[in-house]
Amino acid sequence: MNILIRKARPADAESAVPLIIEAIGSIAEQMTGETDATAVQQELIHLFKCEDNRHSYLKTVIAERDDAIMGVMVLYSGFEAIQLDANLVNWLRKKTGDNIVIPPEARSDEYYIDTVCVNPTYRGLGIGSLLLAKAEEIAHDAGFSKVALNVELEKEAAIRLYERVGYHEAEPWEIYGGSFHHMVKGL
């Protein structure tokens, strides 16, 4: 199987964003200030095409074959997340007028995998493992000694995948009132 792992482009937005929404669920509402599914998707498409926030195409990697997006991964350093989220907070405050707070999702010394989602059509083909390997390469090249991610407690298949490729539960984590396993892998 010839799978290309590449940096995302703004033109990937319409295909990549539904996968991102599938992965982050209701957190997408918090990140866009919207509750209507169509509005959430449109705002994330807008954010994906921008360059200054955690949802940017610049922070996204695509797995594709024959021009079909098979999977998506969003990742950045925990240190970088501070500024990316500050930019997102400013955008949300201007949009909603609310005092927005985005909870931290990683430690500053971690390279953080924000989102991994494989298109359901291509699940079971090792795409998730390929994306995780790419995350390790990117983190290593950026000078980090570990990668981290958060996974919902009930996502047992995802947890098994992460453990199989070397992640371990470092600590419990809470994001917008939801409970997660914060999992880390040393490089």
Side-chain angles (χ1 to χ4, degrees):
M1 183 179 322
N2 214 3
I3 300 168
L4 173 66
I5 307 290
R6 64 167 174 81
K7 292 181 177 185
R9 301 181 287 259
D12 295 321
E14 285 75 15
S15 298
V17 165
L19 293 174
I20 293 169
I21 291 170
E22 181 178 336
I24 66 175
S26 64
I27 291 173
E29 295 176 5
Q30 302 292 328
M31 295 293 175
T32 61
E34 299 291 344
T35 55
D36 173 72
T38 301
V40 167
Q41 183 165 328
Q42 289 306 310
E43 291 293 20
L44 274 177
I45 287 170
H46 165 76
L47 290 168
F48 187 92
K49 292 177 179 180
C50 294
E51 297 183 352
D52 65 347
N53 68 86
R54 67 163 59 196
H55 303 294
S56 172
Y57 72 94
L58 293 175
K59 305 301 171 198
T60 305
V61 174
I62 301 290
E64 79 174 2
R65 181 181 66 200
D66 301 326
D67 295 324
I69 292 182
M70 303 172 82
V72 63
M73 178 174 59
V74 178
L75 68 165
Y76 41 83
S77 76
F79 178 76
E80 186 180 21
I82 297 165
Q83 186 59 56
L84 293 172
D85 286 350
N87 294 341
L88 187 55
V89 163
N90 287 337
W91 177 78
L92 282 165
R93 283 183 180 156
K94 287 177 188 172
K95 177 181 171 180
T96 67
D98 294 336
N99 185 22
I100 306 294
V101 175
I102 296 177
E105 295 184 22
R107 305 227 175 268
S108 62
D109 65 337
E110 298 170 336
Y111 211 89
Y112 181 61
I113 302 170
D114 179 295
T115 306
V116 177
C117 188
V118 175
N119 182 317
T121 303
Y122 303 107
R123 290 186 182 151
L125 300 176
I127 307 301
S129 295
L130 288 173
L131 288 167
L132 293 171
K134 184 65 174 179
E136 293 169 26
E137 177 187 320
I138 291 169
H140 179 267
D141 290 350
F144 284 79
S145 62
K146 60 184 170 179
V147 287
L149 52 83
N150 292 308
V151 60
E152 293 163 301
L153 304 181
E154 67 275 3
K155 290 194 173 179
E156 295 174 10
I159 293 167
R160 282 192 304 273
L161 167 65
Y162 301 142
E163 288 174 339
R164 190 173 67 246
V165 298
Y167 287 80
H168 68 277
E169 183 180 345
E171 61 189 299
W173 206 274
E174 187 175 303
I175 304 170
Y176 291 116
S179 296
F180 293 78
H181 294 298
H182 188 71
M183 301 184 78
V184 176
K185 180 178 181 180
L187 301 177

